[in-house]
Amino acid sequence: MRTTQLYAPTLRETPAEAEVISHQLMLRAGMIRKAAGGVYTYLPLAWRVLKKIEEIVREEMDNAGGQELAMPIMQPAELWHETGRWDVYGDEMFRLKDRHNRDFCLGPTHEEMITTLVRSDVRSYRQLPLMLYQIQNKYRDEIRPRFGLMRGREFIMKDLYSFDKDEEGLDISYKKMYDAYTNIFSRCGLNFRAVEADGGAIGGSNTHEFMVIAESGEAAIVYCEACDYAANVEKAELKPILAGKEAELPLEIVDTPNTKTIEAVSQYLGVDIKKNIKAVAFQNEKDEVILAFVRGDHEVNDVKLQNAVGAIVLRMASEEAILAVGGVPGFMSPIGIKGATIVVDATVMEMYNAAAGANQVDKHYKNINPKRDFKDVLVTDIRLIQVGDPCPHCGKPLKTARGIEAGQVFKLGTKYSKALKAMYLDENGREKPMVMGCYGVGVSRTMAAAIEQNFDEHGIIWPAAIAPYTVVIVPINAKDAEQMEIAEKLYEELKAAKIEVLLDDRKERAGVKFKDADLIGYPLRITVGPKAVNEGTVEVKVRRTGEAFDYTQDKYLANVQRLLATL
């Protein structure tokens, strides 16, 4: 390809709408253009990157035993009614009606569709295991589409679904996909971690997210350098912190005027914040009140709480709802509450002689001993992990990083097969539900994540495996016939060697072409200038490191191949 033929309209200024670096650089590098909020056109350079990522994904899926198919993007509502997700999936689902007033949606995910497909054709254990996948557009009506391809309303995704006859078979399929995902992100040249995560709206008993490590990542993860434990902060498991044992003092109510915050209570009573119990009130989708209690210096983990009480959604409780169950905003404890679900973090139950609200305005309890004083409460881990918390596996202090979720693997079990009656006959002729797994890679998101991890002040730095072109040839003076003759010769030699090369044949200043090469992020730049004509040498510059090497024209090709193998 020649730059004079390439449709890649670069920009010198950063568009005001672009908030994160991947969005900024893809717009400036002529890779994407906005069609509507959260909807983008992929221009040729971006499409080449996407196709390379897709090919890596496809090869790894096929190697693991997956079979590719294509399912409809438009799905009938009847399938979603069978699983009950039509009414609970939420406003992110694009819903539409046909001319006959029948309900459809644009697929945000395909569990219903694939399970219905398989139930109609698979009847025997002899047909299992089965792994089917597709690479196609998905649609989610984000309330605030932002960050370019990081949170769009239309995106490209690979989703594979496994069907096994039992949990042991699912374990094998899950391990195959886990290993395949490790290969995918390694081959894409990305720094990533597989972390334990929450299943969210898709559900499932076990799940791992594959996080591309980047400062701009919207998800916080914790990891242990002493062992292989890593988890999303929403999922990170925590053991209760044991307080030093004390003699239990009698419970008493004290006046605490104008102390609606934990800090104010702690200061007024002259006790450490760790001796306070914090209350946070929620309501679920049925408007039922859920009261969560954690130690004063801790925060409630909404996802853990949601899972603990089996809620579909949680929102902050209204003052009226709190008062209706006997609570008083700013002055709450489990003592005396009626008609609410009370969830107490396991660490709280290990406290002695603590302070908490008395469910009266400007009054608190002193000397609360939860094991003595809290009745009819659910005790579980509901706190948000903090830096320095001990690793649940080895006890060493945990560290934090930020990551971009580029892939996730789920153990679904029989959630969908039971709901949709996807059954098979086992060796004894007994009917059983298939045991399922679900495995997704955000293809377009992976492209954006790669940029978030690989850039500098000049532009993108593509890993060679997914770069739109791996080499760009830049003649310093395209009007110089001898330079152009050498550039054309190199161009043909590189193409013959199966190297993806772009010849910048524009009659522009060398500085303009260098800036575009750095902005777009080609891994190697070959400069053809006066030295190529007078001395027979060309400069090969590595985009990632800035290193430049002079090679004679009879040696440059072998060195280009060697350098590309390292990038």
Side-chain angles (χ1 to χ4, degrees):
M1 175 59 68
R2 300 167 190 273
T3 304
T4 51
Q5 300 170 330
L6 178 66
Y7 184 51
T10 58
L11 304 173
R12 290 289 167 250
E13 301 297 326
T14 300
E17 69 188 77
E19 299 175 76
V20 296
I21 198 69
S22 60
H23 193 193
Q24 294 170 8
L25 291 178
M26 279 192 282
L27 287 169
R28 287 188 54 210
M31 303 190 76
I32 62 172
R33 288 295 181 263
K34 181 179 176 180
V39 181
Y40 290 86
T41 296
Y42 302 111
L43 304 189
L45 288 174
W47 195 245
R48 289 180 66 86
V49 174
L50 290 169
K51 286 301 179 186
K52 287 188 173 185
I53 296 171
E54 283 185 9
E55 196 51 39
I56 290 171
V57 169
R58 189 171 278 114
E59 288 175 7
E60 293 298 334
M61 292 300 98
D62 291 349
N63 289 340
Q67 301 177 67
E68 189 171 7
L69 47 65
M71 290 181 280
I73 288 173
M74 190 170 70
Q75 302 182 31
E78 289 81 0
L79 303 183
W80 290 74
H81 282 303
E82 286 191 60
T83 60
R85 289 209 297 171
W86 182 261
D87 295 320
V88 302
Y89 196 89
D91 292 336
E92 285 188 2
M93 180 186 284
F94 276 105
R95 303 166 197 260
L96 63 153
K97 292 181 181 288
D98 68 8
R99 66 179 64 195
H100 304 293
N101 207 37
R102 292 177 297 211
D103 288 316
F104 290 82
C105 69
L106 300 182
T109 183
H110 274 69
E111 285 79 17
E112 281 81 1
M113 183 67 71
I114 192 71
T115 308
T116 304
L117 174 72
V118 170
R119 79 177 176 188
S120 64
D121 295 307
V122 175
R123 294 296 301 156
S124 169
Y125 72 94
R126 293 187 180 89
Q127 296 169 276
L128 302 174
L130 187 62
M131 292 195 289
L132 303 171
Y133 76 95
Q134 62 178 354
I135 301 175
Q136 66 157 221
N137 286 12
K138 292 283 195 290
Y139 297 86
R140 292 176 191 169
D141 191 5
E142 293 279 357
I143 187 170
R144 282 188 66 207
R146 57 193 304 213
F147 305 147
L149 304 186
M150 300 288 284
R151 189 180 295 175
R153 296 194 293 171
E154 178 184 64
F155 52 95
I156 301 171
M157 183 176 173
K158 185 283 304 179
D159 46 329
L160 180 144
Y161 304 89
S162 64
F163 296 83
D164 285 278
K165 62 182 183 179
D166 51 31
E167 292 289 341
E168 290 76 14
L170 174 59
D171 288 343
I172 294 170
S173 295
Y174 191 88
K175 180 64 163 59
K176 285 181 179 179
M177 287 297 105
Y178 186 100
D179 291 344
Y181 276 41
T182 301
N183 293 342
I184 287 167
F185 296 113
S186 296
R187 288 180 61 185
C188 286
L190 302 177
N191 175 23
F192 68 95
R193 277 186 177 270
V195 304
E196 295 179 12
D198 180 72
I202 292 176
S205 56
N206 281 66
T207 178
H208 286 82
E209 291 172 340
F210 285 76
M211 292 284 192
V212 176
I213 306 302
E215 286 298 319
S216 59
E218 59 186 353
I221 66 172
V222 292
Y223 64 96
C224 180
E225 291 185 327
C227 69
D228 61 357
Y229 178 75
N232 189 307
V233 293
E234 295 174 342
K235 175 69 174 179
E237 54 194 88
L238 293 165
K239 294 178 180 177
I241 300 171
L242 304 181
K245 193 162 185 178
E246 302 175 17
E248 295 183 356
L249 300 175
L251 185 67
E252 62 176 299
I253 295 178
V254 295
D255 290 325
T256 52
N258 302 313
T259 56
K260 287 191 175 183
T261 67
I262 286 293
E263 292 77 15
V265 174
S266 179
Q267 186 175 1
Y268 187 86
L269 296 178
V271 297
D272 191 303
I273 196 169
K274 294 180 181 179
K275 294 280 284 184
N276 282 268
I277 299 172
K278 180 191 295 184
V280 186
F282 299 88
Q283 286 176 266
N284 64 11
E285 69 282 356
K286 299 176 182 177
D287 288 331
E288 297 167 335
V289 176
I290 293 108
L291 300 181
F293 294 89
V294 294
R295 201 172 74 179
D297 60 326
H298 292 160
E299 300 296 332
V300 174
N301 184 321
D302 295 7
V303 173
K304 287 183 182 178
L305 179 64
Q306 186 172 335
N307 291 336
V309 299
I312 296 171
V313 294
L314 287 177
R315 66 181 189 279
M316 300 308 295
S318 67
E319 182 173 350
E320 293 76 14
I322 295 170
L323 293 172
V325 297
V328 175
F331 301 93
M332 282 191 290
S333 74
I335 301 172
I337 296 293
K338 301 291 184 183
T341 299
I342 302 171
V343 187
V344 180
D345 182 66
T347 290
V348 169
M349 297 303 292
E350 301 298 327
M351 297 172 71
Y352 291 91
N353 301 318
N359 296 310
Q360 300 178 50
V361 176
D362 290 340
K363 294 185 184 296
H364 275 75
Y365 282 114
K366 283 180 63 177
N367 304 326
I368 284 181
N369 289 277
K371 288 180 179 176
R372 178 192 70 189
D373 299 323
F374 291 174
K375 311 298 182 186
D376 299 320
V377 299
L378 171 62
V379 179
T380 187
D381 166 26
I382 58 167
R383 74 179 177 94
L384 196 64
I385 199 164
Q386 297 175 330
V387 178
D389 274 327
C391 171
H393 289 187
C394 72
K396 298 294 184 182
L398 290 168
K399 296 192 172 182
T400 62
R402 300 206 67 81
I404 300 165
E405 182 196 335
Q408 191 164 8
V409 290
F410 300 85
K411 283 185 178 180
L412 297 176
T414 58
K415 173 179 177 177
Y416 295 94
S417 55
K418 282 184 176 178
L420 293 164
K421 299 180 175 56
M423 314 296 285
Y424 74 96
L425 297 177
D426 69 7
E427 295 90 332
N428 300 311
R430 292 177 297 191
E431 195 172 59
K432 292 182 177 179
M434 299 177 205
V435 183
M436 294 174 57
C438 170
Y439 318 88
V441 169
V443 176
S444 49
R445 194 168 230 255
T446 296
M447 176 171 66
I451 297 172
E452 294 291 337
Q453 191 179 85
N454 297 277
F455 70 93
D456 62 15
E457 68 273 21
H458 303 297
I460 303 167
I461 306 174
W462 287 112
I466 59 174
Y469 293 92
T470 52
V471 177
V472 60
I473 300 172
V474 180
I476 287 181
N477 184 0
K479 298 177 183 177
D480 185 307
E482 290 180 287
Q483 288 186 27
M484 285 305 298
E485 183 180 348
I486 294 169
E488 292 280 2
K489 174 176 170 289
L490 303 186
Y491 178 61
E492 294 300 330
E493 288 174 349
L494 289 164
K495 284 202 302 180
K498 306 298 183 186
I499 292 173
E500 295 175 311
V501 58
L502 179 74
L503 174 58
D504 194 339
D505 57 343
R506 294 176 294 170
K507 292 180 172 58
E508 285 277 7
R509 298 189 312 276
V512 172
K513 294 192 278 190
F514 289 159
K515 282 183 179 295
D516 279 351
D518 284 347
L519 174 61
I520 295 169
Y522 307 112
L524 294 181
R525 187 185 81 205
I526 300 176
T527 303
V528 178
K531 288 174 69 174
V533 176
N534 301 326
E535 302 173 20
T537 62
V538 296
E539 180 190 82
V540 178
K541 185 173 182 179
V542 181
R543 174 71 180 89
R544 183 169 296 278
T545 64
E547 295 174 286
F549 307 93
D550 286 337
Y551 298 120
T552 58
Q553 291 175 41
D554 61 335
K555 297 285 181 64
Y556 87 95
L557 180 55
N559 283 291
V560 164
Q561 292 170 321
R562 176 182 59 81
L563 288 170
L564 287 176
T566 67
L567 298 175

